[in-house]
């Protein structure tokens, strides 16, 4: 997960507005794109945390 964190930070620092985020289960935390995309607020929180406009659903960790 450190690779993904570093990747998202680098994307934001380079001026990207969006970046792919690969869900990874951590305890009972809600994941972006969970529930078939019905819960969108976790993705918004991830984007806010990394200073991006949005995150897209990635399928592998960068």
């Amino acid at each position: 997960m450190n690779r993904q964190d570093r990747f998202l930070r680098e994307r934001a620092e380079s001026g990207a507005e969006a970046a792919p985020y690969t869900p990874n289960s951590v305890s009972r935390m809600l994941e972006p794109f969970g529930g078939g995309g019905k819960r969108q607020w976790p993705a918004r929180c991830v984007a806010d945390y990394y200073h991006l406009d949005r995150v897209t659903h990635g399928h592998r960790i960068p």
Side-chain angles (χ1 to χ4, degrees):
M1 301 334 119
N2 289 333
R3 282 186 305 167
Q4 180 160 252
D5 177 68
R6 190 169 40 254
F7 171 78
L8 291 168
R9 289 177 191 279
E10 289 170 355
R11 296 287 298 155
E13 289 173 6
S14 72
E17 294 179 1
Y21 175 87
T22 303
N24 46 77
S25 181
V26 178
S27 188
R28 293 180 177 214
M29 290 176 59
L30 293 177
E31 279 293 341
F33 319 109
K38 293 178 183 173
R39 287 188 224 116
Q40 296 181 5
W41 68 266
R44 179 73 251 148
C45 290
V46 170
D48 286 347
Y49 180 80
Y50 287 104
H51 307 288
L52 297 164
D53 289 340
R54 69 186 182 286
V55 291
T56 59
H57 192 174
H59 297 286
R60 65 181 180 87
I61 295 175

